[in-house]
Amino acid sequence: DAGVIQSPRHEVTEMGQEVTLRCKPISGHDYLFWYRQTMMRGLELLIYFNNNVPIDDSGMPEDRFSAKMPNASFSTLKIQPSEPRDSAVYFCASRLHSPGQGAIGELFFGEGSRLTVL
Amino acid sequence: KNQVEQSPQSLIILEGKNCTLQCNYTVSPFSNLRWYKQDTGRGPVSLTIMTFSENTKSNGRYTATLDADTKQSSLHITASQLSDSASYICVVTAWSDMRFGAGTRLTVKP
């Protein structure tokens, strides 16, 4: 498997523009996560899906952010309108559910999408 | 307050030296603890996982320890190499809730 695939790797846009980040999880993984990483705040969970259903979106900063997972092999994170403070690296990660306490599966991360909003 | 605290925030060592990174947590109930390595410009990659009953686990030159009583973990790197330069992130899981530390930025200099 090629691992978690994210696109684009780099995105530079102007304030007010719409940004769409894309993610293809590892085949067979039933959990998908979107994270944002900044120097100040480290890795922050934005939202995660289980079997394509959003489970927890409490980390989504505001209504300008939205995420979808129309099928098991694709997810998008959209920012509209974008602002300079949205500049960060956005990671998608997936994992396989492991039954039983203490058996949470390993998170596999993509290479990230570096977003710069001017 | 972050439930996973890592120290030091950053560390610079000479190639060939050993170092130890610390992770203290208050996450409960404890399921497992993972150390991830994140190279610059890349996504984090899991190095090791520790469950409640495990005290130590090695992965090559990396050795992780866990003290579930004091809720502390350490990652020891032996005979450091330039390629060890990266951020090391401690992630503690409580049931299905994963808590991330802020990471330790390690720089290995020749």
Side-chain angles (χ1 to χ4, degrees):
Chain A
D1 201 311
V4 177
I5 300 173
Q6 292 187 244
S7 65
R9 288 295 313 277
H10 302 275
E11 175 91 9
V12 180
T13 190
E14 292 187 344
M15 183 174 63
Q17 296 299 305
E18 177 179 293
V19 174
T20 299
L21 308 179
R22 298 172 177 79
C23 175
K24 181 180 187 304
I26 292 174
S27 177
H29 282 192
D30 50 359
Y31 282 83
L32 183 141
F33 302 78
W34 281 100
Y35 290 91
R36 178 172 66 179
Q37 186 176 43
T38 61
M39 288 291 292
M40 292 295 294
R41 302 173 69 91
L43 274 164
E44 300 175 282
L45 176 65
L46 299 176
I47 185 172
Y48 78 91
F49 296 81
N50 177 216
N51 292 322
N52 314 337
V53 177
I55 302 300
D56 183 357
D57 65 354
S58 59
M60 297 285 262
E62 45 197 278
D63 292 345
R64 297 184 297 105
F65 285 69
S66 63
K68 294 182 180 179
M69 192 166 185
N71 57 63
S73 60
F74 184 67
S75 177
T76 59
L77 178 67
K78 186 175 293 186
I79 308 172
Q80 166 64 16
S82 59
E83 297 182 2
R85 60 190 167 126
D86 301 331
S87 297
V89 182
Y90 291 82
F91 285 101
C92 176
S94 70
R95 70 168 169 83
L96 185 63
H97 171 67
S98 298
Q101 180 184 354
I104 298 296
E106 176 183 349
L107 265 182
F108 291 84
F109 286 84
E111 298 289 45
S113 294
R114 179 175 293 277
L115 173 65
T116 303
V117 183
L118 303 174
Chain B
K1 184 182 187 303
N2 196 346
Q3 294 179 306
V4 180
E5 299 286 348
Q6 291 188 244
S7 62
Q9 192 173 38
S10 62
L11 181 62
I12 300 174
I13 61 173
L14 292 176
E15 186 179 13
K17 298 296 186 182
N18 303 336
C19 68
T20 300
L21 315 181
Q22 298 289 345
C23 175
N24 297 339
Y25 62 93
T26 58
V27 174
S28 181
F30 177 85
S31 291
N32 63 53
L33 183 150
R34 287 185 185 272
W35 284 94
Y36 284 81
K37 179 187 179 189
Q38 184 177 19
D39 292 317
T40 300
R42 308 294 296 274
V45 176
S46 179
L47 287 175
T48 178
I49 177 174
M50 307 288 290
T51 56
F52 188 85
S53 59
E54 295 174 309
N55 299 117
T56 183
K57 184 176 286 187
S58 292
N59 178 2
R61 294 179 298 100
Y62 300 99
T63 299
T65 65
L66 174 67
D67 186 333
D69 292 330
T70 61
K71 299 187 176 181
Q72 297 179 326
S73 176
S74 66
L75 181 68
H76 185 75
I77 304 175
T78 303
S80 61
Q81 300 176 358
L82 298 180
S83 60
D84 293 331
S85 294
S87 289
Y88 292 83
I89 302 170
C90 175
V91 183
V92 183
T93 300
W95 293 107
S96 61
D97 185 20
M98 291 176 288
R99 300 286 176 156
F100 286 73
T104 292
R105 177 69 202 173
L106 173 65
T107 302
V108 180
K109 293 195 169 183

